[in-house]
Amino acid sequence: MSEKLKYTRNEAWELLNEFNKEPFHIRHAVTVEGVMRYFADSLGYGDEVDLWGIVGLLHDLDFEMYPDQHCIKSQEIMRERGLDERIIHGTASHGYGLTVDIMPEHEMEKVLYATDELTGLIGAVAIMRPSKSVQDLELKSVKKKFKTANFAAGCSREVINNGAEMLGWTLDELIEKTILAMRSCESEYEKY
């Protein structure tokens, strides 16, 4: 997978902003981008940090304008623009079992699948804290809210659990690593 990527972060940013106007969606995209870049580096894919980041940035490209065609319309948009199939497959696979039957295969895709919903849950826990930050957030706080079904109800616990299983990690490992990933990029997504 280490073939040179012919698509830049700036191009991805322009595409994201063409289809997304809501600050919440932009912030989520930047959060997942940072998390993906962190995991690329920490899991030994340092030469693919840009690819992982772009996949994170564009993973919900179609969600704001085409929520009923999520992970379907984005493939069409990206192919029309000539994006790399690794980006297209990578972004689409996070809808596996929900909107598409494209299974996450590469570790990058499994990380996206596992962390997309989890970043929302962790973010929701963080904003309830006095610091409103992930910098002092602990695993136990997230686990407590994870078990509360009506807290951040839009964040699928089933998808998060399935993602941990796909990666061969415990739920605790996935949460701890994702907290660290979010700490690493909080200053970036806090701008939005």
Side-chain angles (χ1 to χ4, degrees):
M1 243 191 156
S2 58
E3 171 191 331
K4 181 82 172 124
L5 190 62
K6 299 176 184 102
Y7 196 72
T8 67
R9 198 277 179 183
N10 283 344
E11 290 170 313
W13 179 251
E14 286 177 20
L15 183 60
L16 175 72
N17 282 276
E18 182 179 336
F19 288 90
N20 291 267
K21 307 299 180 201
E22 291 290 327
F24 175 84
H25 293 136
I26 301 292
R27 181 182 173 136
H28 175 65
V30 172
T31 301
V32 177
E33 173 192 22
V35 166
M36 292 297 289
R37 292 180 70 83
Y38 173 90
F39 275 109
D41 196 49
S42 68
L43 295 173
Y45 297 93
D47 60 334
E48 295 182 347
V49 168
D50 292 335
L51 170 64
W52 285 50
I54 288 170
V55 166
L57 189 65
L58 295 179
H59 80 284
D60 278 346
L61 177 67
D62 59 7
F63 188 75
E64 187 175 317
M65 291 179 77
Y66 306 99
D68 295 338
Q69 298 177 62
H70 183 42
C71 298
I72 299 165
K73 187 70 173 173
S74 61
Q75 294 176 65
E76 179 185 316
I77 294 165
M78 290 182 196
R79 284 196 179 97
E80 285 172 358
R81 308 289 174 102
L83 271 72
D84 190 307
E85 281 296 321
R86 295 174 297 172
I87 297 170
I88 297 167
H89 193 279
T91 56
S93 69
H94 90 279
Y96 177 67
L98 303 168
T99 59
V100 296
D101 61 359
I102 300 169
M103 180 180 254
E105 296 167 4
H106 186 276
E107 194 165 18
M108 172 186 72
E109 297 167 348
K110 293 174 183 177
V111 167
L112 176 61
Y113 180 87
T115 61
D116 175 33
E117 300 280 325
L118 183 55
T119 60
L121 180 72
I122 291 170
V125 175
I127 61 171
M128 294 188 65
R129 302 175 62 72
S131 67
K132 305 220 180 298
S133 171
V134 293
Q135 299 304 323
D136 60 353
L137 185 61
E138 299 291 328
L139 170 65
K140 66 182 179 194
S141 299
V142 177
K143 284 289 291 268
K144 182 178 178 185
K145 294 298 187 182
F146 185 90
K147 293 174 186 171
T148 307
N150 63 351
F151 178 81
C155 301
S156 170
R157 275 55 167 183
E158 182 181 359
V159 167
I160 295 166
N161 278 317
N162 290 344
E165 194 174 304
M166 272 184 202
L167 286 163
W169 300 348
T170 66
L171 179 60
D172 285 7
E173 286 175 309
L174 175 61
I175 294 171
E176 284 180 325
K177 290 176 182 188
T178 305
I179 290 170
L180 292 175
M182 288 179 72
R183 284 179 185 168
S184 77
C185 62
E186 186 173 48
S187 62
E188 279 307 305
Y189 66 76
E190 281 295 310
K191 296 175 187 174
Y192 300 95

